[in-house]
Amino acid sequence: MKGIKPIILLYGRKVLAFYLFTFLPFYLFNFLLFSCGSNHETFILDGTFKGFNQGELYIYGINGTHRLDTISVMKGRFHYEVTLENPVTFSLVFPNFSELPVFGEPRAEVEIEGDASHLKETRVSGTDINKQMTDFRLRTSGMTPPEVIQAAETFIRENPASPIALYLLNKHFTQTTNTDCKKAVALIGEIEKAQPDEPSLKGLKEKIKSLDVLKDGIKIPAFTAKDINGKTVSSSDLTAPVNIIYVWAKWNYESMNMQRQLTFFQKQNKDMVKVLGISLDPDVKMCRQAAEQDSVKWSTVCDGKMWETPLLRQLGLWYIPDNIITDSQGKIIAHTLHTNELQNKASELIRKER
């Protein structure tokens, strides 16, 4: 029996050594793989802004690819991390409501450097795509709007495989007040040849197709939706002499200004005007707070889906701010007007009714 214990110990050591050398590398590899796996998919955004000591920025993925989030700025610096499975085109929204495109990729680090008093000169670096977008933005910053559109078209035709081409197409040829549908369709075709598997192209095609809905003189499509208080709203509710549907979001200055002007206008013409708001905010709470702050009394539709809100597609609304004016029969009188144009047109219609 005295010799058994040493034999067992020896045998045990051999078994232990066998397991250590056979399986430990496997488990160690997997441990390292999974413990570091999250870092492999992390997109990091670092920024420095002169003249912007403290505050918040908004960030969201264009076309609903990433929900709206906030970034805290302290002493002119900020740091943001997010896990990505696929590349995402972000829009960074500043306190003055101007927006900056940032192209995010898994395992990429991007740096932003700018001056709060000269946001148009902000530089985004760290990846070739962001550098290329910065070069385009700086090169066109002094151009007139028609010149920028021409530059965007040239870029898309010369670089159809670039994610920048998709961004420029969306910004300058679909989410605009005067969309050239024929040219937009042609440019989508150029991108589709280079990026046949790009999922957002289907949505862009639908968007262009739905723009035909917004034609003056035709009847508005029938719709039904729930507002932020759970009340059912529909096209049949819009029976006033002047009815206004508009698109807004807390993070978009122009739309917030339009909402405030409409609040004042509707108070002056209660019996003549009905208003319905569609909010692109990512959650009902944010939407409700903004509506209460502006003393909005009419119904507001907000489902948190931002640009993917079904009601937008039904009505052919793809711009922010955007709007439709209808008469008591639901006929579209005008659409996609600037704030002053919207009030002037509504006032003109009210005078005719009186």
Side-chain angles (χ1 to χ4, degrees), residues 23-121:
F23 296 105
L24 182 60
F26 172 79
Y27 287 116
L28 183 60
F29 171 79
N30 280 278
F31 171 79
L32 292 173
L33 176 65
F34 290 105
S35 64
C36 299
S38 60
N39 291 332
H40 289 177
E41 303 301 325
T42 298
F43 169 64
I44 298 174
L45 183 63
D46 284 309
T48 304
F49 279 100
K50 294 179 181 178
F52 185 8
N53 186 47
Q54 187 173 340
E56 281 188 339
L57 306 172
Y58 288 123
I59 187 169
Y60 68 94
I62 295 175
N63 295 327
T65 51
H66 187 75
R67 292 179 65 84
L68 190 77
D69 203 354
T70 56
I71 302 176
S72 296
V73 180
M74 296 293 293
K75 296 182 179 179
R77 299 187 63 85
F78 67 86
H79 178 84
Y80 181 71
E81 293 188 15
V82 63
T83 300
L84 300 180
E85 294 182 5
N86 300 296
V88 173
T89 301
F90 290 101
S91 184
L92 194 64
V93 187
F94 296 100
N96 69 345
F97 297 96
S98 62
E99 300 190 28
L100 178 74
V102 177
F103 296 88
E105 302 172 36
R107 303 179 298 277
E109 295 186 23
V110 168
E111 294 182 2
I112 297 178
E113 186 176 359
D115 189 320
S117 59
H118 299 89
L119 288 176
K120 289 185 178 180
E121 300 174 10

Side-chain angles (χ1 to χ4, degrees), residues 62-63 65 87-90 101 103 129 132-133 136 152-176 184-205 207-208:
I62 295 175
N63 295 327
T65 51
V88 173
T89 301
F90 290 101
F103 296 88
I129 294 174
Q132 191 176 22
M133 183 68 228
F136 177 87
E153 180 183 351
T154 300
F155 184 97
I156 292 169
R157 294 190 184 281
E158 293 178 351
N159 306 275
S162 171
I164 298 175
L166 279 167
Y167 169 78
L168 294 177
L169 174 68
N170 204 36
K171 179 176 175 62
H172 297 292
F173 296 95
T174 63
Q175 290 182 2
T176 62
V185 169
L187 292 175
I188 288 175
E190 294 285 333
I191 296 175
E192 193 169 29
K193 291 177 185 177
Q195 305 182 54
D197 298 323
E198 172 54 47
S200 65
L201 288 174
K202 181 180 179 181
L204 285 173
K205 287 180 180 179
K207 186 181 294 187
I208 297 299

